[in-house]
Amino acid sequence: MPDELDPTPYDALLLLSFGGPEGPDDVVPFLENVTRGRGIPKERLKEVGEHYFLFDGVSPINEQNRALLDALRKDFAGHGLGLPVYWGNRNWAPYLTDTLREMIRDGRRRIIVLATSAYASYSGCRQYRENLADSLATLEAEGLELPRVDKLRHYFNHPGFVEPMVDGIVRSLADLPEEVREGAHIAFCTHSIPTASADTSGPVEQHGDGGAYVAQHLDVARLITDAVRERTGVEHPWQLVYQSRSGAPHIPWLEPDICDHLEERHAAGVPAVVMAPIGFVSDHMEVLYDLDTEATAKAGELGLPVRRSATVGADPRFAAALRDLVVERAATERGQEVTPCALGELGASHNLCPVGCCPARAPRPAAAGADSPYA
C-alpha cells in the first residue's frame, strides 16, 4: 500500500474547464453561453459554429476531461491521496454552479480548483475566477453555506507538463521525411489574445510587452527546444506563433498567425515545420480545427511538410504533476516550508493571484485571489 499523502486542509479537487457541445443541437446554445452579453445574433453564431459541425457538432474537450478525471482518480488512489475529484464547466454541462452545489451537499468545505489553462491571462485565469465568484454568489443567494475555494498555481513550467510535449515533438520530427527532418522548424502555437490583455497579464510588476502570458510561453518554448536538442542532437529554429483569433479586426491581437507563419517559412525555404500546441492542455477544437484542419490545409497548398505534435492530455506524467501541485499547495496552507517544482528561468508561479493580476476591462468580482469577496 502506498504511503498516504496529506491533502489537508482540502477535502476535494474541482477540475474546472471551458466545456463544449456534444452534438449538433448543442452548438448554438453552447456558443450563446460563450458569448452571453455580447448581443451576437443567432445566425452569426451558426456561422461561427461551422467548424463544430465538421465534427458532427461534438467538441472533444468534454471526453478529454473525462479521460483526465479518470487519470487523476487513478493516480491519486495509486499514491495514497484521498481526495475526491469533481468536474465543472464554464459554458456547458456539467455546469460549474451545479457541480459546486453538489460539492456543498456532499459536505465539501475546502476546495482546491484545477483550471485547464496553464498560463496567466484574463481568459486563462481571471475569467475562471470570475465564474467561480458568480457561482458562489448564486449558491449564497440559495442560502447554502459556501466552502472556501482556492486555485492551483499556473503549471506551465512543471516537468510533468513540459516533458510530454518534448516527447511529442521528438516523435513528430521522427515522422517527417528524412530529407527534411534536420532542417525542420518548430512553431510553438498558442491562443492569440488581444495585445492589451497580454500586456496586463500576470502580476502588475510583470505587465508590459506581452506580460506574463508571452513570457511564460517563451520560457516553455526555450525549455522544450533545449530538451529536443539534447534528445536529437539538432538545433531546430523556432518561433512562438498564435492561432484562433476571434476579435474585431481593428483590435490588435498577438501575431503572427500560424497560417501566415507557414507561408513565411515556406517563402524562406524552410523544408518542414512541426506545429507544437504548447498553449493547450488537450486536443480540443482549437487544435483539431485551427491546426489539424486549417493550418494543415494551408501547408498542403504550399507543399510544405508539417506535423502536429501532441498535447499533454491525460498523460500519466501530467496527472502526477497535478497531484504534486495539490500536495504542495496543501502543505503550504498548513504552514509547512515547501520547495515548488518548476523548470526554466521564471520559477514557480504565485499561489494567490494578487490585486491587479490579469485585470478585466470592466471590473467584476473574482474568487480565489487576493481580491476575492469570498475569503
Side-chain angles (χ1 to χ4, degrees):
M1 293 291 291
D3 294 333
E4 289 189 6
L5 298 176
D6 188 1
T8 310
Y10 298 109
D11 55 17
L13 172 71
L14 169 61
L15 175 65
L16 176 55
S17 193
F18 192 82
E22 300 200 76
D25 294 340
D26 297 343
V27 173
V28 172
F30 163 73
L31 292 173
E32 287 175 331
N33 287 341
V34 174
T35 61
R36 183 177 290 114
R38 301 183 204 172
I40 299 176
K42 184 169 289 189
E43 289 307 310
R44 175 58 182 150
L45 293 179
K46 289 179 181 177
E47 294 174 16
V48 172
E50 280 302 315
H51 57 283
Y52 286 100
F53 294 119
L54 292 176
F55 299 89
D56 297 321
V58 178
S59 167
I61 192 169
N62 277 354
E63 193 57 41
Q64 289 160 6
N65 279 325
R66 293 183 186 102
L68 181 56
L69 279 171
D70 185 60
L72 286 170
R73 288 165 177 158
K74 287 178 179 175
D75 180 90
F76 285 10
H79 291 84
L81 181 61
L83 200 67
V85 184
Y86 295 76
W87 169 36
N89 289 325
R90 289 169 47 189
N91 298 300
W92 202 248
Y95 288 104
L96 171 59
T97 302
D98 295 336
T99 300
L100 281 172
R101 186 183 294 110
E102 176 189 359
M103 297 177 81
I104 292 170
R105 289 173 176 168
D106 286 348
R108 310 305 176 192
R109 304 303 311 146
R110 190 77 185 270
I111 297 168
I112 188 71
V113 176
L114 161 65
T116 53
S117 176
Y119 301 87
S121 70
Y122 171 73
S123 57
C125 183
R126 186 176 178 88
Q127 194 168 17
Y128 283 90
R129 294 176 48 226
E130 289 176 352
N131 294 145
L132 281 166
D134 290 343
S135 293
L136 290 170
T138 296
L139 298 173
E140 185 176 43
E142 293 176 5
L144 296 177
E145 184 180 357
L146 300 184
R148 174 167 167 178
V149 177
D150 295 329
K151 180 181 174 292
L152 285 175
R153 66 175 173 88
H154 302 301
Y155 46 83
F156 62 93
N157 56 2
H158 194 288
F161 185 67
V162 173
E163 290 166 2
M165 292 189 290
V166 173
D167 288 351
I169 293 172
V170 170
R171 285 194 300 268
S172 293
L173 288 166
D175 191 50
L176 284 167
E178 187 174 358
E179 63 271 18
V180 301
R181 188 179 304 149
E182 189 166 328
H185 285 212
I186 303 172
F188 289 106
C189 307
T190 191
H191 210 301
S192 185
I193 60 175
T195 56
S197 179
D199 291 346
T200 56
S201 58
V204 172
E205 62 270 18
Q206 296 176 21
H207 289 181
D209 195 23
Y213 186 74
V214 171
Q216 289 170 0
H217 281 86
L218 289 174
D219 200 39
V220 172
R222 285 189 288 264
L223 283 167
I224 293 174
T225 303
D226 290 345
V228 169
R229 184 185 63 247
E230 291 176 7
R231 293 268 295 273
T232 66
V234 178
E235 181 80 47
H236 290 277
W238 62 272
Q239 186 170 341
L240 179 63
V241 303
Y242 303 92
Q243 61 176 88
S244 312
R245 177 185 171 131
S246 60
H250 68 281
I251 297 175
W253 283 51
L254 293 173
E255 296 177 335
D257 176 78
I258 177 60
C259 290
D260 295 337
H261 177 72
L262 294 176
E263 289 186 339
E264 188 275 332
R265 292 294 81 197
H266 177 256
V270 171
V273 173
V274 169
M275 300 182 292
I278 62 170
F280 305 95
V281 169
S282 64
D283 290 2
H284 52 58
M285 189 58 72
E286 280 84 354
V287 176
L288 291 189
Y289 182 77
D290 296 335
L291 295 183
D292 293 357
T293 305
E294 198 169 50
T296 300
K298 171 58 71 175
E301 293 171 12
L302 298 169
L304 177 67
V306 294
R307 297 292 185 273
R308 196 270 291 172
S309 64
T311 52
V312 296
D315 189 290
R317 291 168 292 182
F318 183 45
L322 298 174
R323 167 183 26 97
D324 179 58
L325 290 172
V326 169
V327 173
E328 169 198 300
R329 180 62 181 275
T332 300
E333 292 297 312
R334 294 195 302 270
Q336 296 176 226
E337 189 171 338
V338 173
T339 302
C341 185
L343 301 173
E345 298 177 358
L346 298 181
S349 183
H350 48 265
N351 275 330
L352 190 68
C353 291
V355 176
C357 192
C358 305
R361 284 182 295 176
R364 291 179 54 201
D371 55 355
S372 172
Y374 302 103

